[in-house]
Amino acid sequence: MKAFKQLTLTLMAICLTAGAAIAQIPEKPEFGQFAITGADIYTVTDGVIEGGTVLIDGKTITAVGQNVTVPAGYQRIDAAGKRIYPGFIDAGTGGLGLIEVSAVPVTVDANEIGEFKPHVMAFTAINPHSAAIPVTRTNGITTVISPPGGGTIPGMATLIDLYGNSPDSMAVLQRAALVHDWPSSTGGGWWDNRSEQQIREQYEENVQDIQDYWDRAFAYNEMMNAWEQSPAGKEQPDKVPDLEAMRPVINGEIPVAIAVNDSRDILEVIEWTTAMEERGIRFILAGVDEGWLVADEIAESGLPAVVGPVLSTPSHGWFNYQTAYQNAGKLAEAGVKVAITAGDVENTRNLPFNAGYAATYGMGIEEALKAVTINPAEIFGVGDRLGSIEEGKQANLFIVNGDPFEPLSQVEQVWIEGFKIPMTDRHMKLYEQFLDRGVAGERN
Amino acid sequence: MKKLMLTLLLACLTAVGFGQPTGSVHIKGGTVLTITDGVMENTDVLIEDGIITQIGQNLSTPSGVAVVDATGKYVMPGILDAHSHIAGVDINDASSPVTAQVKMGDSIDPNDVSIYRALAGGVTSIHLLHGSANVIGGESETLKLRYGQDQEGLKFQDAPRTIKFALGENPTRVHGQGRGIMPRTRMGVEQIIRMKFDEALDHERNREEYLAAREAYENGNGPAPKPVPRNVQLETVADILNGEILVHIHSYRADEILMIMRVFNDYGVENYTFTHGNEAFKVATELRKNGAHASVFADWWAYKFEVYYSTAYNASILNANDVNVSINSDSGELIRHLNHEAAKTVRYGSTSENDALRMITINPAHQLGVDDKVGSLEEGKHGDVSIWSGHPLSIYSINEKTFVDGVKYFDREEDPDDMRIEISPTTENEHTGFEPGRNALISGGRHFDSCMRDTEVFYLFGESSSK
C-alpha cells in the first residue's frame, strides 16, 4: 500500500513536472528535420504529387516527391489523405504588424505625417507579437506585405514571414517596395462638392507635384552618383534623407507599388509608368478595382497587379454585382500577372476565401492558387525562395485536411522558414477557455 | 426632367399603395435543405400564391405554375440578416442618447442597389437597424427584399416591432466625449436606460390617470384635469416594457451584456438579442439562463478596443451552450455571402453544417419574431427560397435564383450585365411607376452605412454612421 502511494506520488510529480515545463515555455515552435509523408503535395510550379513526401531540414525544403527515402533522425509526420500547400502570401495587407486596433490611434503605426516620405520604413515598426499575427498564420498565410499608408509616398513596405521575435528575424525583404499613391481624377465621393473643372485642376496639380518630386530625386541621384564616382577635388553634397531613400528605387533595386483603382486613372498611370520605366524604374499596380475595364491595356503594359480585396462591392452602383469577384480572373485571363490580397489587417486570415471567390468567379482554382503563392513571390522578386514547394526553397508550407479555399477545411500544421509553429492563437485560446466555462463553483 | 417625372410618379404611386405581389413556382428535383426537417434528396418544393403548399417527391404541377428544374442543385430557405443597414436613407439620429421616437420605417431607400446585390447572395429578408450612436436608438424595420417595390412594399408585414439599443464605446464616444453629456462611461449607459424606463412608466401611469380623469370630467364627474400630452418617445419605451417591441442590443463586452440583462430582469423585459456581442461567448451561461439570443459576426474583431478580446469561435461557443445565435453582416459586402460567413463556424469550432445554416435562416427569423413565417422550408411558410449550384457552405457554390413570396427577384441566368437596373426580373411592373426594365433612381448605397465605421467621421461630414 505504501509502495502504491509512493508510485502515485511519483507519477503525480512527473505529471506536474511535465506540466510545469510546458508552462515555462509556452508555444515554442519546433525546429529541425521533418518528413511529411503520404500527402498530396500541391507544388504550384510542378503540379500535384499524390501521396508524396516533403523533407524539411532546418530552414529549407530538401526533397519533394513520391519516392523520397526518409533519412534517419527525421521527425515523421503522417499526412495521408491530406494536402500540403506552399504558405500563402498576402501581397497587400492593410498593415499587419503595424496596426493593432485601428480605432485606437496610439496602436496605429502605419501613417507617418507628410506627403513624400520614401525614407519611412514599415519594417521599423513591425510588432512581432501583434495578436493578429498568430491568427493569420494558423490559417496557412505565412508571408505578407505590410505597407505604410498616408500621403502620396507613404514609405517603404516590408515583406515579412509571420514568425519571429524581431522584425529582423521576420523580414524577407526589409524594403520590398516603395508605396506610391496616385491622386484621383474623379473626385473624392459624395461629400466632394467641387466642380468637375476644379477636380481636374487639382488632379493635374497633384500629378505635377509627383513629377516634380521624382525629378528632384533623379537630379539628387545624379549629383550623388557624380560625387561618388569621382569625389576628388569636389565638395561633398549634403545628404537629403528622403531623396537618399529614392536612390535604390531609381536604380531599379526596389519596385514601386502604385495604388490606383479608377479605370481612367489606371490608364493615366500606365502612360506615366511607361515613361518612367524607360528611366529604369520598376512598377507594380496595387488595388486596381476597375482593372477589369482596362484588362487588355494593363496586360499590354506588362505591369503585374496586386488585386483586392476580392470580397468587396463593385466600385459603382451601375456595375454588375459580381465585378469585384471577377476582377482578378479577368486580369489573369488578359495575361496580367496577378497577386490577390485580402486587403485587411486583423482578418488577413481571409486571404484563402478571397482567392476562393476569384476562383469561383472565373479565375479557376489553379490560377487563384498561383495568385496567393508563386505570383506574389515573383512580383516582389523572391520567386527563387518562396511561393512553391520545391527542393532548395525556404520551408514555408502547411498541411490542410481538404481544399484550403473552402471555409469548411481545417489547416492542421504550418511551417514558416522551417519552424513548425504552434497551432494556437488568441481566438483558439478563448475558445478553449470558454467553450465549457463550467458551472460547478460560485466563481465560474 | 425625365428623372423628376419618374420621381413624382413614384411618389404618387407610393401614396396610393399596393399589396405585395406573390407568385407561384414549382421547384423540381433539388436537394432540399429544409433546416428544420433535415436534408431531402431529389425533392420538389411547390409555392402557390407566395406560400409553400407542398414539399415532396414527384409533385404534380398545378396549371399555370412555372417549373424550375433544380436537378443537381441545392434549395434552401432565403437567408435572413438580423443586422443590416442597406436600404436605409438615414441610419443614425445621433441627436440625443435616447431617440426611441424615430423609425427606420420612415427611412427606407427602395432603390439602393445593395438590395439587389443581397438578393444575388440568396438573402430575402433583412433587419434594417437604426445606428448605434444612441443608448436607446430608433425603431428598426424588418424588410423583405422585394427589389423594385416601394417603401411600403419592402416592409415585412406582421413582423413584430423591434428597436435598437447600443452600449459601450459608441454612445459614450458620441455623447459623452463628443458632446459632453451623459453617458461617458458604461456606468452612465446603465443609468440612461434605467432613468428612461422609469420615466416611461411614470408617463404611462400619468397619461392613463389623465385620460381617466378627462373621461370622468367629460361625464360630469370631477374637475378638468391638467393635460398630460402624448410623448412618442416615452410611449415607445413603455411598449418595450410591455413586451410589444423586441430589443436588439448593440453590445460587445461581457460586463455590459450582464449589466443590461440585470436591468431587463428588473423591468421584466424578455426575448431580446445581443447584436455583435463579441464577448457574448464569455457569458454564454448567463445568456442561456435568461433566454437571450445573440447575432454575431463570423470573425470580425480588433477594429476597436472593445472587440480586441474576441474570437471567431464566438458563434460556435454560443451554439454549443444552447444559445440561439445568428451570423449577421452589418455590411453591404458581407451580406452577399452570409452562407460562407456561416460556414466559418464549421472551421472555427466544429459547428455542424445544419447548425451553421440555421444561423442564417431560422435563428435570425426567431430573433426577429418571424420564424413562424420564414427561415425554413415547411408547408405553410412563405415562398422565400434560394437555389444554389452546389452546397451553399462551399465556396465554389453560387446562388442562381432567389424568390420572395414565390416571386423571382434574382436569376443569374437571366442576368445580363444590366439586370440590376431592371426593376423586377419578372418584368411585370404594374406595381411600380418605373419605365419597364429600368430603375432610373438606382442608388449606390451610403458610404458610412456600416457599424464598422468610426462614428467620428460624422463630426467631419455632418453625417451619421452606426457602429
Side-chain angles (χ1 to χ4, degrees):
Chain A
M1 188 63 202
K2 195 173 179 182
F4 180 74
K5 197 173 174 184
Q6 191 66 46
L7 178 65
T8 311
L9 279 169
T10 309
L11 284 172
M12 273 176 67
I14 291 168
C15 291
L16 284 167
T17 309
I22 289 163
Q24 279 162 13
I25 43 165
E27 300 165 20
K28 280 279 199 282
E30 293 177 56
F31 187 74
Q33 294 171 319
F34 303 96
I36 313 164
T37 59
D40 292 344
I41 305 162
Y42 287 71
T43 66
V44 176
T45 44
D46 192 26
V48 181
I49 299 166
E50 289 180 9
T53 296
V54 176
L55 296 185
I56 299 170
D57 185 3
K59 296 181 173 184
T60 311
I61 297 168
T62 50
V64 183
Q66 272 179 328
N67 303 308
V68 172
T69 309
V70 179
Y74 274 62
Q75 186 185 137
R76 275 177 174 272
I77 292 151
D78 179 11
K82 290 163 187 169
R83 302 181 181 193
I84 301 176
Y85 286 83
F88 285 176
I89 302 170
D90 190 314
T93 69
L96 185 57
L98 299 175
I99 296 172
E100 197 63 17
V101 180
S102 56
V104 182
V106 291
T107 72
V108 177
D109 262 320
N111 304 333
E112 187 47 72
I113 291 165
E115 203 56 42
F116 297 94
K117 49 212 168 179
H119 49 323
V120 166
M121 299 205 300
F123 165 78
T124 308
I126 290 294
N127 172 12
H129 308 293
S130 164
I133 286 177
V135 168
T136 307
R137 69 191 181 204
T138 52
N139 258 7
I141 298 117
T142 60
T143 312
V144 302
I145 283 282
S146 194
T152 303
I153 294 183
M156 294 285 179
T158 186
L159 183 68
I160 53 170
D161 281 330
L162 295 182
Y163 173 72
N165 287 302
S166 66
D168 309 76
S169 65
M170 297 165 79
V172 179
L173 297 170
Q174 292 190 13
R175 292 178 296 167
L178 178 75
V179 182
H180 198 311
D181 204 359
W182 190 258
S184 169
S185 64
T186 56
W190 56 267
W191 62 84
D192 190 342
N193 54 13
R194 294 175 297 163
S195 70
E196 291 213 359
Q197 194 192 337
Q198 285 172 316
I199 289 169
R200 188 73 212 174
E201 282 169 5
Q202 182 68 60
Y203 170 75
E204 281 166 6
E205 202 177 297
N206 290 342
V207 171
Q208 190 57 51
D209 287 348
I210 289 171
Q211 193 60 59
D212 289 349
Y213 187 79
W214 278 88
D215 287 345
R216 280 176 58 208
F218 279 113
Y220 176 85
N221 186 51
E222 275 173 36
M223 176 183 73
M224 293 308 268
N225 282 349
W227 184 80
E228 282 166 6
Q229 279 156 19
S230 53
K234 292 179 194 164
E235 192 180 340
Q236 181 172 351
D238 290 344
K239 274 198 178 179
V240 181
D242 59 320
L243 298 179
E244 191 68 29
M246 290 292 281
R247 295 184 71 197
V249 178
I250 286 170
N251 295 332
E253 292 161 31
I254 298 174
V256 181
I258 188 157
V260 60
N261 288 308
D262 184 278
S263 59
R264 289 158 293 185
D265 295 349
I266 292 171
L267 295 181
E268 298 221 17
V269 162
I270 287 174
E271 197 182 323
W272 184 73
T273 55
T274 303
M276 297 290 277
E277 278 176 320
E278 285 167 11
R279 303 172 77 171
I281 318 294
R282 290 158 58 209
F283 286 96
I284 299 161
L285 295 177
V288 212
D289 290 353
E290 294 181 7
W292 56 281
L293 278 168
V294 289
D296 290 337
E297 288 87 341
I298 296 174
E300 202 179 327
S301 76
L303 295 174
V306 177
V307 178
V310 176
L311 293 172
S312 59
T313 46
S315 45
H316 293 293
W318 56 86
F319 285 158
N320 186 288
Y321 69 98
Q322 52 197 341
T323 52
Y325 299 160
Q326 294 171 331
N327 189 24
K330 286 192 173 174
L331 287 168
E333 194 185 350
V336 179
K337 180 169 281 197
V338 172
I340 287 173
T341 172
D344 209 321
V345 181
E346 64 273 5
N347 276 337
T348 297
R349 61 178 165 188
N350 284 331
L351 179 66
F353 313 137
N354 279 263
Y357 256 70
T360 303
Y361 285 84
M363 196 176 203
I365 295 172
E366 201 174 320
E367 202 57 42
L369 180 59
K370 286 185 191 166
V372 291
T373 53
I374 192 70
N375 285 3
E378 289 180 352
I379 287 171
F380 288 94
V382 290
D384 58 337
R385 185 170 160 189
L386 297 172
S388 64
I389 298 180
E390 293 179 66
E391 194 182 315
K393 277 201 166 180
Q394 181 177 317
N396 280 22
L397 50 86
F398 65 93
I399 303 175
V400 56
N401 71 352
D403 183 328
F405 294 164
E406 285 281 18
L408 301 189
S409 299
Q410 298 283 348
V411 174
E412 299 190 349
Q413 186 57 57
V414 179
W415 279 262
I416 298 177
E417 208 179 12
F419 289 94
K420 181 170 177 279
I421 63 142
M423 290 298 287
T424 184
D425 58 39
R426 170 174 292 170
H427 291 235
M428 294 182 194
K429 284 178 192 164
L430 288 171
Y431 177 56
E432 286 156 18
Q433 186 179 354
F434 287 101
L435 176 63
D436 180 5
R437 210 177 65 183
V439 290
E442 291 267 323
R443 295 187 177 183
N444 61 59
Chain B
M1 187 60 200
K2 194 172 171 188
K3 190 169 174 179
L4 178 67
M5 284 183 65
L6 281 168
T7 312
L8 288 171
L9 190 57
L10 175 72
C12 294
L13 286 164
T14 307
V16 175
F18 287 97
Q20 276 69 41
T22 58
S24 302
V25 61
H26 182 182
I27 302 165
K28 293 184 82 159
T31 300
V32 178
L33 307 169
T34 67
I35 304 299
T36 45
D37 193 24
V39 179
M40 300 180 180
E41 305 283 349
N42 191 24
T43 296
D44 296 3
V45 176
L46 180 62
I47 301 167
E48 294 178 276
D49 293 327
I51 301 295
I52 299 171
T53 52
Q54 281 187 80
I55 297 174
Q57 293 196 320
N58 302 315
L59 304 178
S60 57
T61 309
S63 67
V65 172
V67 172
V68 170
D69 181 11
T71 309
K73 303 187 188 305
Y74 282 73
V75 183
M76 73 173 283
I79 293 168
L80 286 92
D81 188 349
H83 186 139
S84 177
H85 301 288
I86 67 165
V89 178
D90 289 311
I91 305 301
N92 256 314
D93 190 317
S95 55
S96 162
V98 178
T99 56
Q101 66 273 32
V102 307
K103 294 179 171 64
M104 292 309 294
D106 298 330
S107 186
I108 300 168
D109 175 8
N111 300 90
D112 185 350
V113 71
S114 303
I115 300 169
Y116 180 74
R117 293 173 180 163
L119 281 165
V123 180
T124 53
S125 280
I126 64 160
H127 190 209
L128 172 54
L129 281 165
H130 185 268
S132 53
N134 309 334
V135 178
I136 301 179
E139 279 193 57
S140 304
E141 189 74 35
T142 302
L143 302 182
K144 283 213 181 190
L145 300 187
R146 304 183 188 100
Y147 191 49
Q149 307 303 314
D150 58 22
Q151 285 92 341
E152 282 306 306
L154 283 174
K155 290 180 180 173
F156 194 131
Q157 291 74 41
D158 304 323
R161 292 164 70 194
T162 58
I163 197 164
K164 171 86 164 276
F165 280 31
L167 316 177
E169 285 182 19
N170 281 25
T172 58
R173 181 174 57 223
V174 172
H175 301 289
Q177 291 176 35
R179 303 165 67 215
I181 60 172
M182 192 170 172
R184 184 170 278 175
T185 66
R186 285 178 166 82
M187 300 181 287
V189 170
E190 175 186 11
Q191 294 312 317
I192 293 282
I193 298 167
R194 287 184 182 274
M195 287 189 293
K196 194 55 70 175
F197 279 5
D198 287 341
E199 197 182 341
L201 291 171
D202 287 345
H203 174 77
E204 188 176 47
R205 176 173 46 81
N206 292 335
R207 175 83 182 163
E208 280 168 6
E209 284 174 6
Y210 158 69
L211 290 175
R214 191 178 73 178
E215 193 183 349
Y217 169 69
E218 283 165 355
N219 292 331
N221 301 320
K226 187 179 167 206
V228 177
R230 290 197 59 187
N231 182 318
V232 177
Q233 183 190 92
L234 295 176
E235 284 167 17
T236 303
V237 175
D239 288 345
I240 296 168
L241 300 173
N242 294 329
E244 292 167 23
I245 303 180
L246 303 176
V247 188
H248 282 240
I249 310 119
H250 162 111
S251 52
Y252 289 109
R253 267 177 30 184
D255 49 80
E256 65 193 16
I257 289 171
L258 293 174
M259 173 276 283
I260 203 160
M261 288 198 292
R262 281 193 298 271
V263 173
F264 282 175
N265 286 339
D266 288 351
Y267 288 84
V269 177
E270 296 173 346
N271 194 12
Y272 45 88
T273 302
F274 289 98
T275 189
H276 306 318
N278 275 51
E279 288 192 9
F281 67 92
K282 292 184 178 174
V283 288
T285 312
E286 288 81 358
L287 289 171
R288 181 181 54 208
K289 203 164 70 184
N290 286 294
H293 319 310
S295 183
V296 306
F297 293 128
D299 57 12
W300 279 5
W301 72 296
Y303 47 87
K304 59 203 301 193
F305 194 71
E306 60 191 352
V307 293
Y308 193 49
Y309 295 92
S310 296
T311 175
Y313 296 78
N314 193 10
S316 286
I317 294 172
L318 292 166
N319 189 57
N321 282 278
D322 296 324
V323 176
N324 176 300
V325 56
S326 66
I327 301 289
N328 69 49
S329 80
D330 188 13
S331 150
E333 208 298 300
L334 286 188
I335 195 172
R336 312 194 307 150
H337 46 90
L338 275 171
N339 53 318
H340 295 133
E341 294 301 293
K344 289 174 184 171
T345 64
V346 183
R347 170 177 286 218
Y348 303 119
S350 306
T351 292
S352 74
E353 293 187 13
N354 196 63
D355 278 4
L357 289 170
R358 287 179 67 94
M359 292 181 193
I360 51 171
T361 54
I362 195 71
N363 289 5
H366 184 70
Q367 294 169 358
L368 301 178
V370 292
D371 51 324
D372 57 332
K373 301 179 181 70
V374 294
S376 61
L377 296 180
E378 295 177 57
E379 288 169 12
K381 282 200 168 183
H382 296 185
D384 294 8
V385 178
S386 62
I387 303 176
W388 295 76
S389 63
H391 195 285
L393 295 181
S394 167
I395 202 139
Y396 302 117
S397 300
I398 299 180
N399 176 48
E400 297 186 342
K401 293 179 173 60
T402 308
F403 298 84
V404 182
D405 302 313
V407 177
K408 189 166 70 179
Y409 282 89
F410 172 76
D411 190 331
R412 188 171 158 84
E413 266 180 38
E414 296 170 9
D415 185 334
D417 261 0
D418 286 315
M419 193 182 92
R420 72 206 165 275
I421 59 171
E422 294 282 348
I423 201 56
S424 163
T426 64
T427 68
E428 290 168 7
N429 296 321
E430 73 270 25
H431 299 291
T432 75
F434 292 122
E435 184 183 338
R438 286 294 178 267
N439 176 359
L441 302 175
I442 191 167
S443 62
R446 297 174 64 83
H447 287 254
F448 299 114
D449 64 348
S450 162
C451 279
M452 286 292 288
R453 302 288 176 181
D454 196 300
T455 39
E456 275 159 19
V457 296
F458 71 76
Y459 295 116
L460 296 174
F461 301 118
E463 269 298 322
S464 47
S465 89
S466 190
K467 164 152 46 173

